[in-house]
Amino acid sequence: SQQGEEDPQALSIQEGENATMNCSYKTSINNLQWYRQNSGRGLVHLILIRSNEREKHSGRLRVTLDTSKKSSSLLITASRAADTASYFCATDAGGFKTIFGAGTRLFVKA
Amino acid sequence: EAGVAQSPRYKIIEKRQSVAFWCNPISGHATLYWYQQILGQGPKLLIQFQNNGVVDDSQLPKDRFSAERLKGVDSTLKIQPAKLEDSAVYLCASSHPGQHTGELFFGEGSRLTVL
C-alpha cells in the first residue's frame, strides 16, 4: 500500500521558474524524505526532514512539513532543464521501513 | 565509495519462465531492500533484510517470488514462474542502520519484461 501521495502527478514549467510539489501521508511518521529519479535510473536521496522540524533547505531545495495536516511540500527554485525527473516522497511507516508515494513527474522546458 | 550494484540491467523472458536478479549493496550496509517499480508508479517494497534476517516481506508474493541474502552481503531475488504483471523494474537499495539520516542508496535497477 502507498503511504504517501504526491500532487500534482505531472508538472511542466519553464526554466527559471519555481516548481512546487506536495505530498500527503496517512499515518504518523518519524521522518519524511524526498528522492529524485531520472528516467531509467535509480532513485537519489535529496533531503530528509524529521517530524519535529518544520522547514529545511538544501541548495535550491526547500522542504516543509506540517504534521498536523500530514503533508509536506518540496520547492525547487530557479529550475533548470537538468531538474527534469520524477520526484518521490517517502515516509518511515512503522518506523523501520521506507514507503514511497506515486511521484510527481517534473518537466522543465529550456 | 562504490555504489549498489545490480545485474542484469535488462531481462526479457516469456511468462512461466524463471528469472533471478542479483544485488551487491554498499560495503558495510547491513540493511538491504528490494523494491518493485511498475511503469508510472512509485517503488513498492517487496522485502527488507537486516543482515541475514528478513525484517519485512509482507508484500512479497511468496507463491512465486523468493529472496535470500547470503552471509549478510549479496542478495538474490527470484521469480518463478513469471507472470505478465511482473514486468517492472526491480530496484535494490541499502542503508546503514547506524546512520540516522535514514537515507537509502539505490542501484540502477533491473528491468524485467515478461512476454
Side-chain angles (χ1 to χ4, degrees):
Chain A
S1 62
Q2 300 285 1
Q3 157 81 319
E5 293 185 6
E6 287 89 342
D7 169 60
Q9 289 187 327
L11 181 61
S12 180
I13 59 174
Q14 291 289 142
E15 206 167 30
E17 294 180 337
N18 295 341
T20 300
M21 48 206 92
N22 304 295
C23 169
S24 60
Y25 56 91
K26 299 173 183 175
T27 62
S28 296
I29 60 172
N30 294 313
N31 64 63
L32 185 144
Q33 302 178 62
W34 285 91
Y35 286 78
R36 183 188 73 216
Q37 184 179 36
N38 289 83
S39 182
R41 309 295 296 275
L43 282 75
V44 175
H45 182 263
L46 295 176
I47 196 167
L48 177 148
I49 186 166
R50 302 194 184 281
S51 60
N52 61 353
E53 297 175 309
R54 291 296 167 259
E55 187 171 313
K56 204 163 183 179
H57 297 254
S58 177
R60 293 184 297 112
L61 306 180
R62 172 177 169 254
V63 170
T64 62
L65 179 64
D66 186 335
T67 53
S68 66
K69 295 182 180 178
K70 291 187 170 59
S71 68
S72 173
S73 68
L74 171 67
L75 168 68
I76 304 174
T77 60
S79 63
R80 306 165 182 169
D83 295 327
T84 294
S86 292
Y87 293 82
F88 297 91
C89 69
T91 54
D92 61 335
F96 62 89
K97 60 182 180 181
T98 303
I99 305 298
F100 288 83
T104 292
R105 280 132 196 92
L106 173 66
F107 182 67
V108 182
K109 293 177 280 187
Chain B
E1 174 181 80
V4 175
Q6 290 189 245
S7 68
R9 285 279 280 138
Y10 304 93
K11 189 74 176 179
I12 300 174
I13 61 173
E14 295 190 351
K15 59 183 179 183
R16 291 188 289 275
Q17 288 187 324
S18 63
V19 64
F21 302 112
W22 172 84
C23 173
N24 181 244
I26 292 173
S27 178
H29 282 194
T31 310
L32 185 147
Y33 315 75
W34 283 102
Y35 285 86
Q36 179 193 57
Q37 186 176 26
I38 294 172
L39 185 64
Q41 299 182 17
K44 182 180 91 170
L45 180 65
L46 292 177
I47 189 167
Q48 178 177 337
F49 292 95
Q50 181 76 15
N51 296 309
N52 289 342
V54 175
V55 174
D56 185 274
D57 63 356
S58 57
Q59 296 205 79
L60 185 73
K62 297 179 184 66
D63 58 334
R64 298 182 301 104
F65 285 64
S66 65
E68 61 180 3
R69 190 176 184 195
L70 302 173
K71 300 179 182 178
V73 182
D74 293 7
S75 178
T76 302
L77 176 70
K78 296 180 181 178
I79 308 174
Q80 181 179 14
K83 292 185 175 180
L84 296 178
E85 59 260 35
D86 298 332
S87 293
V89 176
Y90 292 86
L91 295 162
C92 179
S94 69
S95 67
H96 194 306
Q99 177 190 32
H100 296 292
T101 63
E103 177 180 354
L104 270 63
F105 295 81
F106 282 84
E108 297 288 357
S110 294
R111 181 178 297 276
L112 173 66
T113 301
V114 182
L115 303 175

